[in-house]
Amino acid sequence: MHIRLERQNPAVHFRAVNDEGNELHIDGGEAVGGQGLGFRPMETVLAGLAGCSAMDLVHIIGKQRMDLADVRIDVEAERADAVPAPFTKIHLHYDLYGELDSDRCARAVSMALEKYCSVAVMLEKSASITYSFKIHPGETA
Protein backbone atom coordinates (compact mmCIF):
# COMPACT_ATOMS: atom_id res chain seq x y z
CA MET A 1 0.00 0.00 0.00
CA HIS A 2 1.36 3.39 -0.95
CA ILE A 3 0.00 6.94 -0.65
CA ARG A 4 1.70 10.10 -1.90
CA LEU A 5 0.80 13.38 -0.18
CA GLU A 6 1.37 16.58 -2.15
CA ARG A 7 1.00 20.13 -0.91
CA GLN A 8 -1.55 22.09 -2.98
CA ASN A 9 -1.06 25.65 -1.72
CA PRO A 10 1.25 27.66 0.54
CA ALA A 11 -1.03 26.83 3.50
CA VAL A 12 -2.16 23.35 4.63
CA HIS A 13 -4.16 22.01 1.67
CA PHE A 14 -2.84 18.61 0.63
CA ARG A 15 -3.83 16.03 -1.98
CA ALA A 16 -3.33 12.36 -1.19
CA VAL A 17 -3.07 10.04 -4.20
CA ASN A 18 -3.06 6.25 -4.12
CA ASP A 19 -1.51 3.84 -6.64
CA GLU A 20 -4.76 3.78 -8.64
CA GLY A 21 -4.75 7.56 -8.98
CA ASN A 22 -7.68 8.20 -6.62
CA GLU A 23 -7.51 11.48 -4.74
CA LEU A 24 -8.41 12.65 -1.26
CA HIS A 25 -8.08 16.32 -0.36
CA ILE A 26 -7.01 17.18 3.17
CA ASP A 27 -7.09 20.66 4.67
CA GLY A 28 -7.16 22.26 8.08
CA GLY A 29 -9.44 24.74 9.73
CA GLU A 30 -8.79 28.48 9.86
CA ALA A 31 -6.95 28.10 13.16
CA VAL A 32 -4.07 26.34 11.36
CA GLY A 33 -4.25 28.34 8.13
CA GLY A 34 -6.65 26.03 6.33
CA GLN A 35 -9.33 27.03 3.87
CA GLY A 36 -11.75 24.12 4.26
CA LEU A 37 -10.80 22.63 0.89
CA GLY A 38 -10.89 19.03 2.08
CA PHE A 39 -11.34 16.66 4.96
CA ARG A 40 -9.45 17.39 8.13
CA PRO A 41 -7.05 14.56 9.04
CA MET A 42 -9.18 13.21 11.90
CA GLU A 43 -12.25 13.25 9.63
CA THR A 44 -10.37 10.98 7.22
CA VAL A 45 -9.91 8.53 10.08
CA LEU A 46 -13.67 8.47 10.76
CA ALA A 47 -14.42 8.11 7.04
CA GLY A 48 -11.94 5.23 6.92
CA LEU A 49 -13.68 3.55 9.86
CA ALA A 50 -17.11 3.93 8.26
CA GLY A 51 -15.84 2.78 4.86
CA CYS A 52 -13.98 -0.22 6.25
CA SER A 53 -16.94 -1.45 8.28
CA ALA A 54 -19.34 -0.77 5.39
CA MET A 55 -17.32 -2.88 2.96
CA ASP A 56 -17.25 -5.76 5.43
CA LEU A 57 -20.96 -5.30 6.22
CA VAL A 58 -22.00 -5.42 2.56
CA HIS A 59 -19.97 -8.59 2.08
CA ILE A 60 -21.39 -10.28 5.20
CA ILE A 61 -25.01 -9.42 4.39
CA GLY A 62 -24.47 -10.77 0.88
CA LYS A 63 -23.14 -14.03 2.32
CA GLN A 64 -26.27 -14.16 4.50
CA ARG A 65 -28.25 -14.09 1.25
CA MET A 66 -30.11 -10.92 2.13
CA ASP A 67 -30.71 -8.13 -0.37
CA LEU A 68 -29.24 -4.90 0.99
CA ALA A 69 -30.61 -2.10 -1.17
CA ASP A 70 -28.45 0.60 0.45
CA VAL A 71 -26.54 1.53 3.57
CA ARG A 72 -25.82 4.90 5.16
CA ILE A 73 -23.55 5.39 8.15
CA ASP A 74 -23.40 8.37 10.47
CA VAL A 75 -20.34 8.64 12.70
CA GLU A 76 -20.13 10.81 15.81
CA ALA A 77 -16.91 11.10 17.78
CA GLU A 78 -15.46 12.78 20.85
CA ARG A 79 -11.81 13.68 21.29
CA ALA A 80 -9.61 14.15 24.32
CA ASP A 81 -9.25 17.71 25.55
CA ALA A 82 -5.47 17.65 25.17
CA VAL A 83 -2.68 17.81 22.65
CA PRO A 84 -2.58 15.47 20.90
CA ALA A 85 -6.36 14.89 20.93
CA PRO A 86 -7.09 11.27 20.04
CA PHE A 87 -10.63 9.97 19.78
CA THR A 88 -12.05 8.78 23.09
CA LYS A 89 -15.57 7.81 21.99
CA ILE A 90 -16.90 6.88 18.57
CA HIS A 91 -20.47 5.91 17.70
CA LEU A 92 -21.55 4.58 14.32
CA HIS A 93 -25.21 4.42 13.33
CA TYR A 94 -26.04 2.21 10.35
CA ASP A 95 -29.20 2.86 8.33
CA LEU A 96 -29.86 -0.33 6.36
CA TYR A 97 -32.33 -0.29 3.48
CA GLY A 98 -34.19 -3.34 2.23
CA GLU A 99 -36.25 -6.29 3.39
CA LEU A 100 -33.78 -7.48 6.01
CA ASP A 101 -33.86 -9.77 9.02
CA SER A 102 -33.08 -7.84 12.22
CA ASP A 103 -31.23 -10.67 14.00
CA ARG A 104 -29.01 -11.40 11.01
CA CYS A 105 -28.32 -7.68 10.53
CA ALA A 106 -27.34 -7.36 14.19
CA ARG A 107 -24.87 -10.19 13.74
CA ALA A 108 -23.56 -8.74 10.47
CA VAL A 109 -22.98 -5.28 11.93
CA SER A 110 -21.29 -6.76 14.98
CA MET A 111 -19.02 -8.98 12.89
CA ALA A 112 -18.17 -6.19 10.44
CA LEU A 113 -17.18 -3.73 13.12
CA GLU A 114 -15.82 -5.95 15.89
CA LYS A 115 -14.20 -8.79 13.97
CA TYR A 116 -13.23 -7.78 10.43
CA CYS A 117 -12.70 -4.01 10.26
CA SER A 118 -8.96 -3.32 10.61
CA VAL A 119 -9.56 0.38 11.21
CA ALA A 120 -11.84 -0.39 14.17
CA VAL A 121 -9.25 -2.76 15.64
CA MET A 122 -6.68 0.06 15.57
CA LEU A 123 -9.02 2.70 16.98
CA GLU A 124 -10.43 0.58 19.79
CA LYS A 125 -7.04 0.76 21.49
CA SER A 126 -7.72 4.40 22.37
CA ALA A 127 -11.46 4.92 21.87
CA SER A 128 -14.66 3.30 23.00
CA ILE A 129 -16.52 2.27 19.82
CA THR A 130 -20.28 1.72 19.95
CA TYR A 131 -22.85 1.22 17.24
CA SER A 132 -26.54 1.03 16.48
CA PHE A 133 -28.57 0.24 13.40
CA LYS A 134 -32.02 0.72 11.96
CA ILE A 135 -33.63 -1.24 9.17
CA HIS A 136 -35.72 0.71 6.66
CA PRO A 137 -37.86 -1.89 4.84
CA GLY A 138 -39.41 -0.72 1.61
CA GLU A 139 -37.56 2.59 1.68
CA THR A 140 -34.74 3.94 -0.39
CA ALA A 141 -31.92 6.03 0.95
Side-chain angles (χ1 to χ4, degrees):
M1 184 179 300
H2 173 258
I3 301 289
R4 166 167 264 166
L5 189 73
E6 301 170 342
R7 194 170 182 191
Q8 299 298 294
N9 66 15
V12 293
H13 177 203
F14 297 90
R15 178 177 67 116
V17 182
N18 68 8
D19 286 334
E20 290 82 26
N22 298 306
E23 298 182 3
L24 171 69
H25 287 264
I26 301 169
D27 200 354
E30 288 182 19
V32 296
Q35 298 171 319
L37 299 173
F39 275 64
R40 287 172 174 73
M42 293 299 277
E43 291 172 337
T44 66
V45 173
L46 295 179
L49 173 61
C52 179
S53 68
M55 288 181 189
D56 292 327
L57 179 64
V58 168
H59 180 74
I60 293 165
I61 287 179
K63 288 191 121 196
Q64 291 177 332
R65 299 187 190 274
M66 291 191 293
D67 185 23
L68 179 64
D70 204 355
V71 59
R72 299 283 170 97
I73 304 169
D74 287 299
V75 185
E76 296 288 336
E78 294 179 19
R79 295 174 67 182
D81 187 18
V83 174
F87 291 119
T88 56
K89 294 180 183 178
I90 302 171
H91 182 80
L92 297 94
H93 177 77
Y94 297 80
D95 283 300
L96 308 172
Y97 295 84
E99 301 301 324
L100 303 163
D101 178 78
S102 181
D103 290 338
R104 290 194 289 170
C105 284
R107 178 165 163 72
V109 172
S110 171
M111 288 176 60
L113 195 57
E114 297 173 357
K115 184 175 181 181
Y116 292 110
C117 177
S118 300
V119 178
V121 169
M122 287 190 306
L123 289 172
E124 71 185 8
K125 296 185 183 340
S126 66
S128 166
I129 301 175
T130 58
Y131 60 89
S132 58
F133 72 93
K134 181 177 180 181
I135 298 172
H136 302 269
E139 295 181 36
T140 56

